[in-house]
Amino acid sequence: MEPPSGPASRRHVPWSRLLLAVSLLTFWTPPTTAQPTIETVPPLAAEGSDVLLLVRNVSENPLGYGWYRGERVENTQLIASYRVDTNATTNGPVYSRRETLYPNGTLLIRNVTQKDTGSYTLLVTKKDLQTERQTGHLHIHPVLSTPVIISNNSNPREHEDTVVLTCGAETQNTSYMWWINNQSLPNSTRLELSEDKRTLTVFNVTRNDTGPYVCEARNPVSVSRSDPFTLNVVYPVAKPSLQASNTTITEHEGPVVLTCLTDETGVSIRWFFKGQSLLLAQRMTLSSDNSTLTIDPVSREDTGDYQCEAFNRGNSNRSNPLRLHVKYQLTPESSSDLSVGAIVGIVIGAVAGVALIAALGYFVYTKTIRNRCPGRNRSS
């Protein structure tokens, strides 16, 4: 028996309407109470570390997961996919051997680099073939190396030059701080920081601006501080003075102490003897700062003019000469030698004198004889 047409029309959905419903389901996913979320662990990722893209609020009993690089779901950007029922993982074109996809949808990326910075999209496929999509963002910060302070002028002149100090290489998302003499920068019209504080300018440097300077670089994952940097300010050096414990001394006695006096700071001392750089003998010693020269015992070779010179990287000034006189006595050997030499000299001089006188006398005698006898000379 054929069923009634009325009730039958109420119990069956026309095929055209069913196709329309399926078509609409293809382009529309009904909202759920909880959408998947992606959490980056750790939230601030440092270069070289391992990072988790942790998935939460995933629908129960999903069919599988897929992770894509970027904000779009494209097969060419697939990192990896996972099917729950077969526990099978398939690696995609952008898989780099550093990624691991876990059964709960979480993605691990090992040894991240700054190139890993960007968007990552998760596609969750449910058993009814409907999908859920969520995009997370990963930002990798570099671990800062020790910054090096660079100066545009290695030997600035006092009251003349301006110095620009730069803290290391420029990096993104980095802030900078400066210290001078282990203290924060003082308020001064001669000090100026750039907008990002990476560069410090010192106008019209003075010897008090020597430093040391230290800069610090900081980003969300690391902090690094430079080694101290000292500025070598070149300034005129005042003339030093030279003092001696004794300027006249007997040979083989001592000590004689020569002291170089200067009010300058940050200068070095060197010594001169008879206008030439002093060559230290075994009898001579210098203090640790070279300001004092000690001679003990004294030798006759030490007689002469001494000077000290104060100098820095750009200037120098030398003291007036101070003369040291060493008295000594002749030894018997040296006296005997001198007497023999004197005798030989006298003998040679006497012989030469006698010969000269004899020759002169002979010349005068012969000339006189010729003048007295002119006729004889003609007849001859």
Side-chain angles (χ1 to χ4, degrees), residues 130-167:
Q130 294 183 3
T131 59
E132 297 175 330
R133 182 187 306 182
Q134 186 60 268
T135 299
H137 301 278
L138 184 60
H139 187 84
I140 308 301
H141 300 275
V143 176
L144 298 175
S145 59
T146 300
V148 176
I149 297 178
I150 300 174
S151 173
N152 70 325
N153 192 337
S154 57
N155 297 298
R157 295 166 296 179
E158 186 176 35
H159 303 305
E160 295 184 24
D161 292 337
T162 293
V163 175
V164 179
L165 303 177
T166 303
C167 183

Side-chain angles (χ1 to χ4, degrees), residues 224-377:
S224 188
R225 186 171 293 192
S226 72
D227 293 329
F229 176 85
T230 300
L231 198 59
N232 297 309
V233 180
V234 177
Y235 51 87
V237 178
K239 188 173 186 176
S241 61
L242 188 57
Q243 292 183 352
S245 60
N246 197 347
T247 57
T248 302
I249 191 170
T250 303
E251 188 178 28
H252 305 307
E253 294 183 0
V256 170
V257 180
L258 305 179
T259 303
C260 187
L261 303 176
T262 178
D263 294 330
E264 298 286 359
T265 58
V267 296
S268 301
I269 303 294
R270 54 193 171 203
W271 290 85
F272 293 85
F273 178 57
K274 296 180 180 180
Q276 303 294 323
S277 296
L278 175 65
L279 298 177
L280 288 178
Q282 292 183 350
R283 300 172 290 100
M284 300 177 179
T285 57
L286 287 172
S287 61
S288 59
D289 61 357
N290 286 1
S291 64
T292 301
L293 171 65
T294 302
I295 308 174
D296 188 21
V298 177
S299 170
R300 69 189 70 180
E301 299 171 355
D302 301 327
T303 296
D305 292 334
Y306 290 81
Q307 290 174 284
C308 69
E309 184 176 86
F311 67 96
N312 58 25
R313 287 183 175 267
N315 292 289
S316 63
N317 212 333
R318 193 176 296 186
S319 69
N320 292 327
L322 185 149
R323 185 167 185 81
L324 179 64
H325 179 68
V326 180
K327 299 183 296 182
Y328 57 92
Q329 296 179 350
L330 297 176
T331 63
E333 292 79 5
S334 63
S335 298
S336 176
D337 293 340
L338 289 174
S339 298
V340 172
I343 291 171
V344 172
I346 292 172
V347 170
I348 294 175
V351 171
V354 170
L356 179 62
I357 292 172
L360 182 60
Y362 176 78
F363 175 77
V364 172
Y365 172 77
T366 56
K367 187 174 182 179
T368 302
I369 293 300
R370 290 176 180 177
N371 291 335
R372 288 181 180 179
C373 309
R376 182 179 300 177
N377 292 337

Side-chain angles (χ1 to χ4, degrees), residues 115-126:
K115 293 182 179 180
D116 294 320
T117 296
S119 300
Y120 292 79
T121 297
L122 169 67
L123 182 68
V124 181
T125 303
K126 298 187 291 186

Side-chain angles (χ1 to χ4, degrees), residues 4-252:
S5 59
S9 64
R10 290 193 297 267
R11 289 194 299 266
H12 296 279
V13 179
W15 182 247
S16 59
R17 294 184 182 180
L18 180 59
L19 290 177
L20 177 61
V22 173
S23 176
L24 291 174
L25 286 174
T26 303
F27 296 97
W28 176 76
T29 300
T32 58
T33 56
Q35 290 292 322
T37 60
I38 299 173
E39 178 184 354
T40 303
V41 181
L44 298 175
E47 190 170 20
S49 63
D50 296 345
V51 177
L52 280 175
L53 295 178
L54 186 62
V55 179
R56 300 184 185 277
N57 299 328
V58 177
S59 301
E60 294 184 2
N61 302 320
L63 183 62
Y65 309 95
W67 277 98
Y68 298 82
R69 185 67 189 268
E71 297 184 355
R72 301 177 63 181
V73 176
E74 296 179 350
N75 291 334
T76 57
Q77 296 300 310
L78 177 66
I79 300 172
S81 62
Y82 176 80
R83 182 158 181 168
V84 176
D85 56 355
T86 60
N87 195 27
T89 301
T90 302
N91 298 322
V94 297
Y95 174 72
S96 67
R97 299 181 180 273
R98 296 178 296 119
E99 298 89 357
T100 300
L101 180 52
Y102 292 104
N104 65 353
T106 295
L107 180 67
L108 169 67
I109 307 176
R110 292 180 297 274
N111 193 25
V112 293
T113 69
Q114 293 188 63
K115 293 182 179 180
D116 294 320
T117 296
S119 300
Y120 292 79
T121 297
L122 169 67
L123 182 68
V124 181
T125 303
K126 298 187 291 186
K127 286 189 175 181
D128 58 4
L129 300 183
Q130 294 183 3
T131 59
E132 297 175 330
R133 182 187 306 182
Q134 186 60 268
T135 299
H137 301 278
L138 184 60
H139 187 84
I140 308 301
H141 300 275
V143 176
L144 298 175
S145 59
T146 300
V148 176
I149 297 178
I150 300 174
S151 173
N152 70 325
N153 192 337
S154 57
N155 297 298
R157 295 166 296 179
E158 186 176 35
H159 303 305
E160 295 184 24
D161 292 337
T162 293
V163 175
V164 179
L165 303 177
T166 303
C167 183
E170 185 176 5
T171 55
Q172 295 182 349
N173 301 315
T174 303
S175 59
Y176 301 90
M177 294 184 64
W178 288 86
W179 288 267
I180 180 172
N181 296 323
N182 297 320
Q183 296 180 351
S184 299
L185 294 181
N187 292 325
S188 173
T189 56
R190 295 190 303 106
L191 298 178
E192 181 178 282
L193 285 171
S194 59
E195 185 176 352
D196 61 358
K197 299 185 179 180
R198 177 170 165 256
T199 299
L200 173 64
T201 302
V202 185
F203 297 97
N204 298 323
V205 293
T206 71
R207 66 190 70 185
N208 296 326
D209 297 324
T210 298
Y213 295 82
V214 172
C215 73
E216 180 183 275
R218 179 188 297 265
N219 69 7
V221 298
S222 61
V223 177
S224 188
R225 186 171 293 192
S226 72
D227 293 329
F229 176 85
T230 300
L231 198 59
N232 297 309
V233 180
V234 177
Y235 51 87
V237 178
K239 188 173 186 176
S241 61
L242 188 57
Q243 292 183 352
S245 60
N246 197 347
T247 57
T248 302
I249 191 170
T250 303
E251 188 178 28
H252 305 307

